[in-house]
């Protein structure tokens, strides 16, 4: 049996729209076929895949991840504090290395301990070894959607070894596309003056622009401040998953025509900067995405510890380097509003320089599931452009 084709057919029967992939040599053909069969989003880090898949689910569509076993190690926090807590069904096909005829010593620890890690984390999983196990993939997809939880499908190289297919498809379409790298140093002039606004004040200034809009809001105090200023069902408050705000925003933006705003933070973006490249890679599909980067140069929510953005790293430049062409810096009320109104449709990033100061605001009273369900309903029925 052609097990790769069979697997793709099984996945297709679950009406999956997107394949989010990060390669492993053992599943190169599977990924090639997935790219032909679904909207393909290549990832730079597996963890961002959990964020993007969450956004896709929130916006009513389905995605599947295809990654290597080590990628679970890279994604564990997002898996637990986002996908498990908010009950997000994400099937994850895992090329399970380190357990069968493994030639790379470094693959062994993660592969060996993976079932125990998943078990301890209560993440549902199945193990697939033999060609005869193929229907277990279907069962795993079924329970993934029934339980509404991420579900790991661990597939041993032994399984793929048994695959029989006539011709080897090219793994990369030949010839390679023309290579071009976008360089742009035409940045907004560096702001040398001291920022005058707090994050709270900046959100207040933006509140008229984001009212009735889809807003994904960063972990910690930014979400609490947004709740205090403008609570609305179309706000998705992150309770965990540090670094996933823009990834969730991208997932939602890929599935709706409506404007999607992300309130991100400098520390959060710096922990997962690769998302900027993933956004620019699919830029023509997420023109509706705006990142409002609240740059206070600190981990505001954990006590204002300085980040590398405080003095060394220009995050607008970073976004440009990653290929986001529409960017701007702003630190004054009128500049923020003008910036938002004049910055061409994106994906775009408005770097808002604010003071490292937190407002004294309450906790968000909703559970993760309440946040999710309110948001999903708002997306279906009310949030408009
Ligand atoms: C994996 C992980 N590491 C660290 C934390 C603690 N933490 C919560 S918010 C945060 C910093 C957020 O800073 P930033 O994104 O710049 O937003 P700000 O609060 O400054 O607006 C950190 C380090 C966490 N929740 N998860």
């Amino acid at each position: 049996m052609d097990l790769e084709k069979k697997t793709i057919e099984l996945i297709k029967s679950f009406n999956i729209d997107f394949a989010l992939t990060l390669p492993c040599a053992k599943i190169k053909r599977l990924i090639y076929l997935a790219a032909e069969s679904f909207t393909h989003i290549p990832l730079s880090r597996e963890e961002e895949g959990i964020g993007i898949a969450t956004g896709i689910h929130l916006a009513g569509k389905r995605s599947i991840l295809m990654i290597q076993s080590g990628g679970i190690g890279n994604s564990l926090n997002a898996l637990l504090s986002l996908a498990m807590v908010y009950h997000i069904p994400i099937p994850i096909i895992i090329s399970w290395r380190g357990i069968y005829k493994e030639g790379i010593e470094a693959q062994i620890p993660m592969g060996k301990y993976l079932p125990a890690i998943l078990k301890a984390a209560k993440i549902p999983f199945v193990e697939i070894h033999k060609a005869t196990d193929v229907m277990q993939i279907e069962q795993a997809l079924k329970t993934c959607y029934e339980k509404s939880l991420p579900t790991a499908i661990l597939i041993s190289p032994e399984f793929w070894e048994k695959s029989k297919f006539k011709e080897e498809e090219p793994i990369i379409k030949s010839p390679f596309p023309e290579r071009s790298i976008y360089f742009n140093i035409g940045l907004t002039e560096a702001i040398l003056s001291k920022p005058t606004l707090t994050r709270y004040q900046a959100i207040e200034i933006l509140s008229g622009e984001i009212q009735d809009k889809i807003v994904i809001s960063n972990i910690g105090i930014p979400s609490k401040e947004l709740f205090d200023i403008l609570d609305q069902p179309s706000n998705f408050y992150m309770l965990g998953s540090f670094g996933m705000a823009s990834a969730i925003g991208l997932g939602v933006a890929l599935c709706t025509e409506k404007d999607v705003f992300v309130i991100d933070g400098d520390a959060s973006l710096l922990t997962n900067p690769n998302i900027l490249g993933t956004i620019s890679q699919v830029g023509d599909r997420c023109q509706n995405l705006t990142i409002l980067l609240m740059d206070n140069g600190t981990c505001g929510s954990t006590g204002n510890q300085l980040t590398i953005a405080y003095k060394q790293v220009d995050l607008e430049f970073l976004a440009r380097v990653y290929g986001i062409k529409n960017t701007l810096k702003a630190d004054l009320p009128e500049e923020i509003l003008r910036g938002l109104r004049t910055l061409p449709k994106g994906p775009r990033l408005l770097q808002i320089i604010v003071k490292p100061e937190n407002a004294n605001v309450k906790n968000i009273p909703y559970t993760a599931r309440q946040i999710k369900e309110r948001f999903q309903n708002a997306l279906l029925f009310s949030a408009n452009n």
Side-chain angles (χ1 to χ4, degrees):
M1 196 188 318
D2 182 337
L3 291 170
E4 281 90 350
K5 278 212 172 122
K6 177 75 190 164
T7 304
I8 295 288
E9 290 314 314
L10 285 177
I11 298 168
K12 271 191 188 161
S13 71
F14 283 83
N15 297 324
I16 285 172
D17 308 281
F18 294 88
L20 316 181
T21 71
L22 206 156
C24 169
K26 303 287 177 197
I27 54 168
K28 57 183 176 216
R29 185 158 176 274
L30 183 76
I31 292 178
Y32 172 80
L33 294 175
E36 302 270 285
S37 311
F38 309 102
T39 303
H40 185 211
I41 316 281
L43 303 170
S44 300
R45 182 177 165 85
E46 295 84 353
E47 187 185 25
E48 67 178 3
I50 304 296
I52 298 168
T54 297
I56 288 172
H57 169 72
L58 292 173
K61 298 214 169 168
R62 288 183 170 184
S63 64
I64 189 160
L65 259 74
M66 297 180 183
I67 61 175
Q68 192 184 88
S69 29
I72 290 292
N74 291 347
S75 314
L76 206 49
N77 183 51
L79 266 169
L80 290 176
S81 66
L82 184 62
M84 290 293 280
V85 169
Y86 287 85
H87 289 253
I88 310 292
I90 309 173
I92 310 172
I93 297 253
I94 295 169
S95 174
W96 189 9
R97 301 296 300 271
I99 49 131
Y100 179 78
K101 294 187 189 169
E102 182 58 66
I104 301 173
E105 191 183 349
Q107 292 284 4
I108 294 170
M110 195 67 212
K112 187 171 161 194
Y113 301 125
L114 188 54
I117 291 168
L118 293 169
K119 201 168 169 204
K122 296 198 162 53
I123 297 170
F125 69 98
V126 289
E127 297 183 12
I128 310 277
H129 295 272
K130 312 268 177 213
T132 46
D133 295 342
V134 66
M135 294 319 285
Q136 279 195 50
I137 298 177
E138 187 179 29
Q139 191 51 45
L141 284 157
K142 230 188 220 162
T143 46
C144 174
Y145 292 110
E146 274 165 17
K147 290 189 182 161
S148 199
L149 285 177
T151 303
I153 304 168
L154 273 52
I155 309 188
S156 163
E158 186 184 359
F159 176 81
W160 303 118
E161 204 179 69
K162 302 285 157 22
S163 186
K164 294 199 173 42
F165 49 93
K166 287 196 188 86
E167 284 163 43
E168 176 94 37
E169 281 94 348
I171 298 308
I172 294 171
K173 275 187 210 126
S174 187
F176 280 93
E178 198 177 309
R179 190 158 183 211
S180 68
I181 298 177
Y182 180 80
F183 288 108
N184 187 328
I185 46 165
L187 296 172
T188 321
E189 240 172 75
I191 291 169
L192 299 173
S193 63
K194 278 194 180 166
T196 53
L197 296 173
T198 63
R199 184 199 317 96
Y200 189 93
Q201 289 166 331
I203 298 174
E204 269 186 321
I205 287 161
L206 288 163
S207 59
E209 303 291 315
I210 58 176
Q211 185 157 18
D212 294 329
K213 298 287 168 78
I214 297 166
V215 185
I216 312 297
S217 174
N218 193 19
I219 179 176
I221 297 176
S223 273
K224 295 181 199 177
E225 291 185 349
L226 176 65
F227 173 78
D228 195 72
I229 295 163
L230 176 72
D231 181 37
Q232 55 185 4
S234 58
N235 289 351
F236 183 80
Y237 302 113
M238 285 171 59
L239 302 175
S241 62
F242 178 47
M244 287 297 108
S246 289
I248 300 170
L250 170 61
V252 175
L254 286 168
C255 302
T256 177
E257 309 258 285
K258 294 166 183 167
D259 287 330
V260 176
F261 293 89
V262 175
I263 295 180
D264 213 334
D266 50 298
S268 296
L269 192 64
L270 282 164
T271 206
N272 188 42
N274 42 283
I275 191 59
L276 295 168
T278 304
I279 289 168
S280 69
Q281 175 184 229
V282 291
D284 54 339
R285 293 174 187 271
C286 60
Q287 303 275 315
N288 51 343
L289 181 63
T290 301
I291 299 172
L292 302 166
L293 178 63
M294 295 291 163
D295 181 359
N296 52 13
T298 65
C299 290
S301 299
T302 50
N304 290 331
Q305 301 89 346
L306 300 194
T307 69
I308 52 172
Y310 197 80
K311 270 177 174 264
Q312 296 123 271
V313 180
D314 182 327
L315 294 177
E316 186 196 359
F317 197 11
L318 189 77
R320 291 275 182 119
V321 167
Y322 271 109
I324 305 222
K325 295 174 187 168
N326 301 325
T327 68
L328 204 62
K329 275 188 182 57
D331 68 346
L332 296 172
E334 57 281 10
E335 280 177 3
I336 294 172
L337 285 177
R338 193 165 4 104
L340 193 56
R341 289 170 188 159
T342 57
L343 198 56
K345 276 265 173 166
R348 53 188 187 154
L349 180 143
L350 184 60
Q351 183 188 9
I352 302 169
I353 315 282
V354 291
K355 288 196 277 193
E357 205 178 295
N358 301 310
N360 190 10
V361 282
K362 302 181 290 295
N363 277 342
I364 293 164
Y366 308 122
T367 64
R369 284 185 88 158
Q370 285 170 332
I371 294 169
K372 177 177 101 162
E373 280 157 21
R374 264 167 39 113
F375 182 81
Q376 287 175 317
N377 286 333
L379 219 74
L380 275 179
F381 303 116
S382 60
N384 38 39
N385 275 323

